[in-house]
Amino acid sequence: MFIYRQATLEDLEKIWDKDIKREAGDIRWINWKKKYIEYNKTGKATTFVVLDGEEPIGQITIIFSPVCSAVRNRLMLCDGKTRANMNAFRIDKRYEGKGHISKLVKIAEQYAKEKGITYLTIGCEAKESRNLAIYLHFGYTEFITSTIEDDELVLYYGKNI
């Protein structure tokens, strides 16, 4: 039985530890874990998870504060008022293609609306054409900007919610 909900601190520890293990040797994941847990603690971000029993298998995070490193004070991505950014979309490989990310997106969008957000943005590495197709399918079709991040071209899209 799958459960979809706002992540607890225990969920965040588990899911980030899985990511760190999967990306062994990439120090960025350790730093991101610290940042994202702190963002959740301070209300700068909210993470949603899907659980298979007690095990978190997927996540999405909404960034509400422009000071968060994922948006780097780019107000076109997150202005701290009515515009927020969704990122850290991840699902364990064995659960891909089963609708879990779609359900998390709906939950996250509804939560954002309840917080007064009227516009959400999403970033996608240009080389991730499958992910880009999924985001476009979710309605994130308004092109906002592109940047180079960690030597990768990242495309940002948004939509009114």
Side-chain angles (χ1 to χ4, degrees):
M1 178 176 176
F2 297 103
I3 300 166
Y4 304 85
R5 63 171 163 78
Q6 187 173 338
T8 65
L9 292 177
E10 182 181 341
D11 295 334
L12 292 169
E13 289 284 344
K14 284 181 182 178
I15 205 152
W16 280 99
D17 285 347
K18 282 168 69 173
D19 292 338
I20 290 165
K21 184 177 179 181
R22 186 188 67 242
E23 302 293 337
D26 189 340
I27 190 81
R28 295 177 303 167
W29 289 88
I30 295 167
N31 294 329
W32 290 333
K33 174 186 175 183
K34 291 175 190 170
K35 286 180 183 180
Y36 275 74
I37 288 175
E38 185 61 26
Y39 295 158
N40 273 266
K41 284 181 180 177
T42 60
K44 292 177 182 166
T46 302
T47 299
F48 297 90
V49 294
V50 55
L51 302 149
D52 184 357
E54 305 244 341
E55 185 65 26
I57 60 163
Q59 68 176 320
I60 288 178
T61 297
I62 303 175
I63 300 290
F64 292 105
S65 173
V67 301
C68 294
S69 61
V71 292
R72 297 185 201 120
N73 287 310
R74 293 174 286 181
L75 299 181
M76 79 277 269
L77 301 180
C78 176
D79 64 9
K81 297 172 187 158
T82 59
R83 185 174 288 234
N85 175 263
M86 277 201 307
N87 67 42
F89 286 61
R90 288 193 289 289
I91 188 82
D92 287 1
K93 290 283 183 201
R94 65 185 186 268
Y95 295 95
E96 285 183 352
K98 301 191 185 311
H100 298 298
I101 290 294
S102 294
K103 288 178 185 173
L104 284 175
V105 167
K106 288 177 185 168
I107 291 167
E109 288 178 346
Q110 183 59 40
Y111 182 84
K113 283 182 191 178
E114 292 167 7
K115 294 290 185 184
I117 300 300
T118 58
Y119 193 83
L120 279 172
T121 65
I122 291 177
C124 182
E125 291 179 3
K127 69 180 182 182
E128 299 289 343
S129 58
R130 179 174 177 242
N131 291 350
L132 181 55
I134 291 168
Y135 301 158
L136 294 171
H137 171 76
F138 291 150
Y140 292 84
T141 57
E142 184 178 334
F143 179 75
I144 299 169
T145 191
S146 62
T147 62
I148 303 293
E149 298 174 21
D150 296 321
D151 297 324
E152 298 288 344
L153 175 63
V154 179
L155 308 172
Y156 287 93
Y157 292 85
K159 81 170 187 178
N160 290 308
I161 58 168

